[in-house]
Amino acid sequence: MSSFRGWFGEKKAAFKLWLWLDKKDYQRFDNLIIPGNNGTSQLDHLLISTYGIFIIETKNRTGWIFGSEKQQKWTQTLHGTKYSFQNPLKQTYRQKKVLSEFLGIKESRNQQYILLSILLVIVNSKPNYPQML
């Protein structure tokens, strides 16, 4: 898939976050590179608020998307052609671990006051519905 489409989807999501979220309650960071023990991790969007810390991964995809939590790759089917891409759930899980490590937040249930959550957004302005006969 085109890197332009991915970039455009991220910009579209950033604009909607800017438009919809109260700037007094949320601080937004886009396209962050976080260093970790095993390399770096890129975050599309990071929201920090009194409600928690939210990692938002954006995918700009159309067509049918198939995948499960445990699969390494997911499949996009568009006009009869199949494309594979990294499982975004595994991707965001790694992002959460890297960010937790970077911020010094232990990933345990004992830290009740810090909520580190993951949101996956699949952006598609024109759904690709099959024609009905």
Side-chain angles (χ1 to χ4, degrees), residues 1-2 6 9 17 21 23-24 29 32 35 38-39 44 64 71 78 85 96 108 111 119 122:
M1 288 282 107
S2 162
L17 291 170
L21 297 176
K23 282 93 182 142
K24 290 181 242 165
F29 302 91
L32 288 177
N38 297 322
D44 290 344
W64 294 91
Q71 290 177 295
L78 182 62
F85 60 99
K96 180 179 176 184
S108 70
Q111 284 196 296
L119 302 171
I122 299 178

mmCIF file of all heavy atoms in Angstrom, residues 1-2 6 9 17 21 23-24 29 32 35 38-39 44 64 71 78 85 96 108 111 119 122:
data_model
loop_
_atom_site.group_PDB
_atom_site.id
_atom_site.type_symbol
_atom_site.label_atom_id
_atom_site.label_comp_id
_atom_site.label_asym_id
_atom_site.label_seq_id
_atom_site.Cartn_x
_atom_site.Cartn_y
_atom_site.Cartn_z
ATOM 1 N N MET A 1 0.836 -1.183 0.000
ATOM 2 C CA MET A 1 0.000 0.000 0.000
ATOM 3 C C MET A 1 0.880 1.245 0.000
ATOM 4 O O MET A 1 1.989 1.245 0.483
ATOM 5 C CB MET A 1 -0.905 0.023 1.232
ATOM 6 C CG MET A 1 -2.035 -0.990 1.204
ATOM 7 S SD MET A 1 -3.408 -0.502 0.164
ATOM 8 C CE MET A 1 -3.194 -1.603 -1.189
ATOM 9 N N SER A 2 0.335 2.277 -0.496
ATOM 10 C CA SER A 2 1.058 3.537 -0.630
ATOM 11 C C SER A 2 1.388 4.135 0.736
ATOM 12 O O SER A 2 0.551 4.186 1.628
ATOM 13 C CB SER A 2 0.182 4.505 -1.425
ATOM 14 O OG SER A 2 0.604 5.819 -1.243
ATOM 15 N N GLY A 6 -1.001 5.943 4.090
ATOM 16 C CA GLY A 6 -0.769 5.833 5.526
ATOM 17 C C GLY A 6 -0.577 7.202 6.160
ATOM 18 O O GLY A 6 -1.161 7.518 7.200
ATOM 19 N N GLY A 9 -3.908 9.047 6.234
ATOM 20 C CA GLY A 9 -4.770 8.527 7.298
ATOM 21 C C GLY A 9 -4.361 9.051 8.663
ATOM 22 O O GLY A 9 -5.211 9.411 9.487
ATOM 23 N N LEU A 17 -8.741 14.315 16.051
ATOM 24 C CA LEU A 17 -8.415 14.412 17.472
ATOM 25 C C LEU A 17 -8.329 15.874 17.897
ATOM 26 O O LEU A 17 -8.815 16.258 18.960
ATOM 27 C CB LEU A 17 -7.091 13.697 17.767
ATOM 28 C CG LEU A 17 -7.101 12.172 17.655
ATOM 29 C CD1 LEU A 17 -5.680 11.637 17.730
ATOM 30 C CD2 LEU A 17 -7.975 11.558 18.732
ATOM 31 N N LEU A 21 -11.268 16.728 20.626
ATOM 32 C CA LEU A 21 -10.844 16.658 22.022
ATOM 33 C C LEU A 21 -10.568 18.039 22.596
ATOM 34 O O LEU A 21 -9.977 18.887 21.949
ATOM 35 C CB LEU A 21 -9.592 15.785 22.142
ATOM 36 C CG LEU A 21 -9.764 14.325 21.753
ATOM 37 C CD1 LEU A 21 -8.429 13.599 21.828
ATOM 38 C CD2 LEU A 21 -10.792 13.636 22.641
ATOM 39 N N LYS A 23 -8.686 20.700 24.357
ATOM 40 C CA LYS A 23 -7.248 20.908 24.541
ATOM 41 C C LYS A 23 -6.874 21.097 26.006
ATOM 42 O O LYS A 23 -5.732 20.905 26.389
ATOM 43 C CB LYS A 23 -6.742 22.107 23.720
ATOM 44 C CG LYS A 23 -6.576 21.781 22.256
ATOM 45 C CD LYS A 23 -7.822 22.149 21.534
ATOM 46 C CE LYS A 23 -7.812 21.828 20.074
ATOM 47 N NZ LYS A 23 -9.083 21.365 19.603
ATOM 48 N N LYS A 24 -7.846 21.480 26.845
ATOM 49 C CA LYS A 24 -7.582 21.628 28.278
ATOM 50 C C LYS A 24 -7.431 20.268 28.953
ATOM 51 O O LYS A 24 -6.735 20.146 29.949
ATOM 52 C CB LYS A 24 -8.719 22.409 28.945
ATOM 53 C CG LYS A 24 -8.756 23.874 28.566
ATOM 54 C CD LYS A 24 -9.885 24.562 29.290
ATOM 55 C CE LYS A 24 -10.830 25.073 28.212
ATOM 56 N NZ LYS A 24 -12.124 25.469 28.679
ATOM 57 N N PHE A 29 0.341 14.289 20.977
ATOM 58 C CA PHE A 29 1.630 14.240 20.308
ATOM 59 C C PHE A 29 1.477 13.303 19.115
ATOM 60 O O PHE A 29 0.905 12.230 19.240
ATOM 61 C CB PHE A 29 2.717 13.727 21.255
ATOM 62 C CG PHE A 29 2.861 14.571 22.484
ATOM 63 C CD1 PHE A 29 2.142 14.281 23.634
ATOM 64 C CD2 PHE A 29 3.705 15.667 22.485
ATOM 65 C CE1 PHE A 29 2.262 15.070 24.770
ATOM 66 C CE2 PHE A 29 3.833 16.460 23.617
ATOM 67 C CZ PHE A 29 3.102 16.158 24.766
ATOM 68 N N LEU A 32 5.540 10.107 17.150
ATOM 69 C CA LEU A 32 6.633 10.056 18.124
ATOM 70 C C LEU A 32 7.526 8.848 17.878
ATOM 71 O O LEU A 32 7.040 7.767 17.565
ATOM 72 C CB LEU A 32 6.074 9.931 19.539
ATOM 73 C CG LEU A 32 5.395 11.135 20.131
ATOM 74 C CD1 LEU A 32 4.848 10.785 21.509
ATOM 75 C CD2 LEU A 32 6.358 12.283 20.253
ATOM 76 N N PRO A 35 12.620 5.566 22.074
ATOM 77 C CA PRO A 35 13.714 4.586 22.152
ATOM 78 C C PRO A 35 13.387 3.484 23.149
ATOM 79 O O PRO A 35 12.743 3.723 24.171
ATOM 80 C CB PRO A 35 14.898 5.431 22.630
ATOM 81 C CG PRO A 35 14.297 6.574 23.366
ATOM 82 C CD PRO A 35 12.957 6.829 22.732
ATOM 83 N N ASN A 38 15.249 -2.695 22.599
ATOM 84 C CA ASN A 38 15.410 -3.437 21.340
ATOM 85 C C ASN A 38 15.120 -2.560 20.129
ATOM 86 O O ASN A 38 14.426 -2.974 19.215
ATOM 87 C CB ASN A 38 14.494 -4.669 21.329
ATOM 88 C CG ASN A 38 14.860 -5.640 22.416
ATOM 89 O OD1 ASN A 38 16.031 -5.837 22.701
ATOM 90 N ND2 ASN A 38 13.861 -6.236 23.048
ATOM 91 N N GLY A 39 15.599 -1.347 20.117
ATOM 92 C CA GLY A 39 15.349 -0.438 18.999
ATOM 93 C C GLY A 39 14.335 0.624 19.373
ATOM 94 O O GLY A 39 14.094 0.881 20.550
ATOM 95 N N ASP A 44 1.855 6.631 16.218
ATOM 96 C CA ASP A 44 1.125 7.571 15.362
ATOM 97 C C ASP A 44 0.633 8.759 16.171
ATOM 98 O O ASP A 44 0.831 9.910 15.790
ATOM 99 C CB ASP A 44 -0.050 6.877 14.676
ATOM 100 C CG ASP A 44 0.381 5.879 13.624
ATOM 101 O OD1 ASP A 44 1.557 5.925 13.197
ATOM 102 O OD2 ASP A 44 -0.460 5.055 13.227
ATOM 103 N N TRP A 64 -11.818 -5.580 2.643
ATOM 104 C CA TRP A 64 -12.060 -6.508 3.744
ATOM 105 C C TRP A 64 -10.743 -6.734 4.480
ATOM 106 O O TRP A 64 -9.705 -6.932 3.863
ATOM 107 C CB TRP A 64 -12.595 -7.833 3.212
ATOM 108 C CG TRP A 64 -13.950 -7.691 2.604
ATOM 109 C CD1 TRP A 64 -14.248 -7.423 1.302
ATOM 110 C CD2 TRP A 64 -15.194 -7.794 3.274
ATOM 111 N NE1 TRP A 64 -15.604 -7.353 1.121
ATOM 112 C CE2 TRP A 64 -16.209 -7.590 2.326
ATOM 113 C CE3 TRP A 64 -15.553 -8.047 4.596
ATOM 114 C CZ2 TRP A 64 -17.554 -7.625 2.651
ATOM 115 C CZ3 TRP A 64 -16.897 -8.090 4.907
ATOM 116 C CH2 TRP A 64 -17.872 -7.863 3.937
ATOM 117 N N GLN A 71 -2.389 -13.884 15.215
ATOM 118 C CA GLN A 71 -1.683 -13.948 13.935
ATOM 119 C C GLN A 71 -0.611 -12.869 13.839
ATOM 120 O O GLN A 71 -0.822 -11.736 14.264
ATOM 121 C CB GLN A 71 -2.668 -13.786 12.777
ATOM 122 C CG GLN A 71 -3.592 -14.967 12.596
ATOM 123 C CD GLN A 71 -4.592 -14.694 11.484
ATOM 124 O OE1 GLN A 71 -5.427 -13.809 11.601
ATOM 125 N NE2 GLN A 71 -4.488 -15.467 10.416
ATOM 126 N N LEU A 78 -8.692 -6.387 -1.414
ATOM 127 C CA LEU A 78 -9.235 -5.224 -2.112
ATOM 128 C C LEU A 78 -9.306 -5.541 -3.599
ATOM 129 O O LEU A 78 -8.269 -5.820 -4.208
ATOM 130 C CB LEU A 78 -8.337 -4.006 -1.849
ATOM 131 C CG LEU A 78 -8.767 -2.677 -2.453
ATOM 132 C CD1 LEU A 78 -10.113 -2.224 -1.890
ATOM 133 C CD2 LEU A 78 -7.711 -1.611 -2.162
ATOM 134 N N PHE A 85 -0.202 -7.273 6.087
ATOM 135 C CA PHE A 85 0.419 -6.216 6.875
ATOM 136 C C PHE A 85 0.542 -6.688 8.318
ATOM 137 O O PHE A 85 -0.134 -7.625 8.744
ATOM 138 C CB PHE A 85 -0.357 -4.889 6.768
ATOM 139 C CG PHE A 85 -1.787 -4.936 7.242
ATOM 140 C CD1 PHE A 85 -2.125 -4.494 8.511
ATOM 141 C CD2 PHE A 85 -2.794 -5.398 6.406
ATOM 142 C CE1 PHE A 85 -3.445 -4.520 8.946
ATOM 143 C CE2 PHE A 85 -4.116 -5.420 6.827
ATOM 144 C CZ PHE A 85 -4.435 -4.982 8.106
ATOM 145 N N LYS A 96 3.164 -0.197 23.518
ATOM 146 C CA LYS A 96 2.808 0.005 24.924
ATOM 147 C C LYS A 96 3.963 -0.415 25.831
ATOM 148 O O LYS A 96 4.285 0.277 26.792
ATOM 149 C CB LYS A 96 1.548 -0.794 25.258
ATOM 150 C CG LYS A 96 1.096 -0.645 26.687
ATOM 151 C CD LYS A 96 -0.159 -1.449 26.944
ATOM 152 C CE LYS A 96 -0.553 -1.388 28.396
ATOM 153 N NZ LYS A 96 -1.702 -2.220 28.702
ATOM 154 N N SER A 108 1.941 -3.423 35.726
ATOM 155 C CA SER A 108 1.316 -4.295 36.711
ATOM 156 C C SER A 108 0.003 -3.671 37.136
ATOM 157 O O SER A 108 -0.254 -2.494 36.904
ATOM 158 C CB SER A 108 2.232 -4.478 37.919
ATOM 159 O OG SER A 108 2.311 -3.276 38.648
ATOM 160 N N GLN A 111 -0.225 -0.407 39.910
ATOM 161 C CA GLN A 111 -0.257 1.037 39.650
ATOM 162 C C GLN A 111 -1.652 1.410 39.170
ATOM 163 O O GLN A 111 -1.954 1.399 37.994
ATOM 164 C CB GLN A 111 0.797 1.420 38.617
ATOM 165 C CG GLN A 111 2.190 1.445 39.202
ATOM 166 C CD GLN A 111 3.149 2.175 38.311
ATOM 167 O OE1 GLN A 111 3.395 1.743 37.202
ATOM 168 N NE2 GLN A 111 3.696 3.257 38.803
ATOM 169 N N LEU A 119 -5.582 2.302 21.480
ATOM 170 C CA LEU A 119 -6.727 2.435 20.591
ATOM 171 C C LEU A 119 -6.242 2.193 19.169
ATOM 172 O O LEU A 119 -5.236 2.755 18.752
ATOM 173 C CB LEU A 119 -7.339 3.834 20.689
ATOM 174 C CG LEU A 119 -7.817 4.282 22.064
ATOM 175 C CD1 LEU A 119 -8.181 5.754 22.039
ATOM 176 C CD2 LEU A 119 -8.993 3.456 22.524
ATOM 177 N N ILE A 122 -8.983 2.374 12.313
ATOM 178 C CA ILE A 122 -8.875 2.073 10.891
ATOM 179 C C ILE A 122 -9.688 3.133 10.170
ATOM 180 O O ILE A 122 -10.896 3.202 10.317
ATOM 181 C CB ILE A 122 -9.362 0.650 10.564
ATOM 182 C CG1 ILE A 122 -8.490 -0.357 11.317
ATOM 183 C CG2 ILE A 122 -9.326 0.406 9.059
ATOM 184 C CD1 ILE A 122 -8.865 -1.791 11.131
#
